[in-house]
């Protein structure tokens, strides 16, 4: 998820402004945008690690439930398998919820990036190859990407709270 943010930004940067000169005109802005996206990626990866740790009790609960199926169902393999399948439903639902949350976060970032690009296209569509307009468009794109990273990063604490609550309910 996080690495897609950086690669999407880099693709957009190269797609809309392939000339190396624009990047050399203001390398500080390019660095700021890349740092913002790298920081967001780091934050998302940290969140994913914390979620994995919080999921351990739910995973343990599923494993214990499955072992109990073997202990209580004797040699009834159909009963054991049905019981074990029932044990996995909670964790599977939790996994789907976490996946939806992460997809929503990614979609939010992508929507922000698309909005930035749409605004730039509207603002600079008739400017041709004017170097000053290309420089301004590049600056506006990078500023927009930095803002998208900040806005997405601001969503992480609430996302983490929702996932933690769901994990707690399944542990």
């Amino acid at each position: 998820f996080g690495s897609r943010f950086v690669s999407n930004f880099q693709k957009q940067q190269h797609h809309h402004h392939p000339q190396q000169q624009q990047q050399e005109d203001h390398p500080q802005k390019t660095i700021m945008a890349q740092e913002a996206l790298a920081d967001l990626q780091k934050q998302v990866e940290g969140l994913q690690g914390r979620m994995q740790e919080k999921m351990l009790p739910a995973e343990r609960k599923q494993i214990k439930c499955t072992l109990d199926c073997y202990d209580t169902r004797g040699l009834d393999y159909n009963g054991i398998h049905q019981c074990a399948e029932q044990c996995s439903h909670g964790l599977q639902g939790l996994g789907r919820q976490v996946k939806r949350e992460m997809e929503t976060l990614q979609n939010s970032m992508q929507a922000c990036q698309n909005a930035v690009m749409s605004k730039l296209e509207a603002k600079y569509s008739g400017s041709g190859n004017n170097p000053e307009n290309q420089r301004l468009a590049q600056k506006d794109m990078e500023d927009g990407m930095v803002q998208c990273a900040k806005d997405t990063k601001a969503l992480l604490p609430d996302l983490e709270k929702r996932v933690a609550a769901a994990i707690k309910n399944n542990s």
Side-chain angles (χ1 to χ4, degrees):
F1 165 74
S3 62
R4 285 184 241 163
F5 287 156
V6 174
S7 66
N8 284 345
F9 168 71
Q10 289 169 342
K11 285 178 192 172
Q12 289 171 350
Q13 187 177 30
H14 293 296
H15 173 71
H16 291 283
H17 302 285
Q19 299 174 358
Q20 184 67 26
Q21 184 61 38
Q22 274 80 39
Q23 290 180 6
E24 292 170 4
D25 286 343
H26 53 286
Q28 188 62 33
K29 278 291 182 187
T30 300
I31 291 170
M32 287 175 54
Q34 290 174 344
E35 285 177 352
L37 293 168
D39 181 54
L40 175 60
Q41 179 178 344
K42 182 179 173 184
Q43 295 293 320
V44 169
E45 289 170 356
L47 171 68
Q48 290 171 329
R50 290 188 302 278
M51 287 190 297
Q52 288 294 324
E53 288 175 7
K54 290 178 182 175
M55 297 242 332
L56 290 175
E59 291 171 3
R60 185 178 193 282
K61 179 180 175 183
Q62 178 191 343
I63 291 169
K64 184 176 181 332
C65 177
T66 301
L67 287 173
D68 289 345
C69 294
Y70 284 88
D71 291 342
T72 60
R73 305 288 174 143
L75 297 177
D76 177 12
Y77 61 88
N78 284 325
I80 292 170
H81 292 159
Q82 288 174 349
C83 178
E85 186 176 321
Q86 283 296 116
C87 293
S88 69
H89 285 298
L91 200 56
Q92 288 173 350
L94 186 57
R96 285 189 299 271
Q97 182 175 354
V98 170
K99 182 179 178 191
R100 279 192 307 270
E101 290 282 358
M102 297 307 292
E103 287 172 350
T104 299
L105 185 71
Q106 183 176 353
N107 291 342
S108 177
M109 178 66 172
Q110 188 64 50
C112 183
Q113 289 176 328
N114 290 343
V116 167
M117 299 314 293
S118 293
K119 288 177 188 175
L120 291 175
E121 288 173 15
K123 185 175 180 179
Y124 295 104
S125 64
S127 64
N129 288 332
N130 178 329
E132 179 62 16
N133 283 342
Q134 287 182 351
R135 186 188 67 74
L136 291 172
Q138 179 74 16
K139 179 190 177 306
D140 287 350
M141 182 192 66
E142 291 167 354
D143 289 346
M145 294 301 139
V146 168
Q147 190 60 50
C148 287
K150 287 179 182 177
D151 292 349
T152 303
K153 187 176 170 181
L155 300 174
L156 295 178
D158 287 337
L159 182 150
E160 186 166 8
K161 287 177 188 172
R162 287 190 303 273
V163 171
I167 291 170
K168 186 176 181 181
N169 290 338
N170 281 285
S171 295

